[in-house]
Amino acid sequence: MKIQILGTGCPKCRKLAENAEAAAKSLQLDCQIEKVMDINQITAFGVMITPALAVDGMVKLVGKASSVDELKAVLAGGAGK
């Protein structure tokens, strides 16, 4: 599983990255977490508001630093965009 945090490095982006790492660790996922900070790459996902989270290339969350529990639901397949 590839988890991508889309954002320019703002506090919300950093919080989303931190929470995504905690959620993945809690679920014991075999995953790679990548921070995408280049605005051209972010817009290529169709994202205009950051932070955003993509899983295996599909955007799942946009515009907020979701909690660890929300992210666990998304990463476990329990929620969508």
Side-chain angles (χ1 to χ4, degrees), residues 5 10-21 65-66 68 71:
I5 308 301
C10 70
K12 282 185 180 180
C13 299
R14 290 192 303 270
K15 186 63 176 174
L16 179 60
E18 179 183 310
N19 288 350
E21 289 174 21
S66 299
V68 173
L71 290 165

Side-chain angles (χ1 to χ4, degrees), residues 1 19-20 22-24 26-27 29 53 55 60-61 66-81:
M1 174 184 287
N19 288 350
S26 175
L27 293 170
L29 296 177
L53 177 115
V55 178
K60 298 292 187 177
L61 298 168
S66 299
S67 71
V68 173
D69 286 338
E70 289 172 316
L71 290 165
K72 283 169 64 174
V74 170
L75 296 176
K81 184 175 178 181

